[in-house]
Amino acid sequence: MFCSRCGKENKSGSKFCVSCGASLQTINTVSEMSSGSKQKQVNTKLGSSPDFYTYVTAGLLVIVLMLSMTQPVLGIFISFISIVTGLIGFKHATNRKLQFILLAFAIILLMICMSNHTDQLYDDLFTF
């Protein structure tokens, strides 16, 4: 049996790793194949990556950049969504500096979109 944290081989039936002390009774254990090599169980559920929200925020910012000239209202709406995903991702991200930069960029893009398209935004929202 191999440890999921450090990869050290342990005796079969051990509760804790002899190298790092991690519990060997977790769901994400590393199993030993018949050939003797290691195989990790991978969780492929959407959103299971700690950087999922970082990727979503970056993707939304690209969409905002593309939409800011043609559809300013939609660009502003997606900017708000990217700020929300950036804030959620800040809690889970492994690279908080990158997440902070993306969040700051989303706020700056929101301000630019709102300042450049104030007249068109007013016309789109309040004219019938």
Side-chain angles (χ1 to χ4, degrees):
M1 175 182 292
F2 291 90
C3 176
S4 62
R5 182 184 286 170
C6 68
K8 179 80 173 172
E9 187 173 2
N10 293 280
K11 292 180 184 177
S12 181
S14 298
K15 292 184 180 181
F16 298 99
C17 176
V18 294
S19 177
C20 68
S23 176
L24 298 176
Q25 303 297 324
T26 61
I27 295 171
N28 293 327
T29 58
V30 180
S31 61
E32 182 176 317
M33 293 175 51
S34 60
S35 64
S37 63
K38 297 186 283 184
Q39 177 186 7
K40 289 187 178 182
Q41 294 177 352
V42 178
N43 189 357
T44 58
K45 181 180 170 188
L46 181 65
S48 63
S49 169
D51 292 323
F52 173 75
Y53 290 103
T54 304
Y55 306 141
V56 171
T57 304
L60 288 172
L61 289 175
V62 170
I63 292 170
V64 168
L65 285 172
M66 291 188 295
L67 288 176
S68 64
M69 295 300 165
T70 59
Q71 300 291 326
V73 176
L74 190 57
I76 291 170
F77 178 71
I78 295 175
S79 292
F80 277 119
I81 294 172
S82 67
I83 290 171
V84 170
T85 59
L87 290 171
I88 293 170
F90 204 74
K91 180 179 177 183
H92 303 288
T94 56
N95 189 345
R96 289 184 188 243
K97 288 180 184 178
L98 175 63
Q99 190 68 27
F100 179 77
I101 291 168
L102 288 173
L103 186 58
F105 189 58
I107 293 169
I108 291 168
L109 271 180
L110 176 64
M111 289 185 212
I112 290 171
C113 285
M114 289 180 75
S115 66
N116 286 344
H117 302 291
T118 306
D119 295 334
Q120 187 177 359
L121 184 65
Y122 180 79
D123 291 341
D124 288 346
L125 292 176
F126 298 110
T127 56
F128 300 101

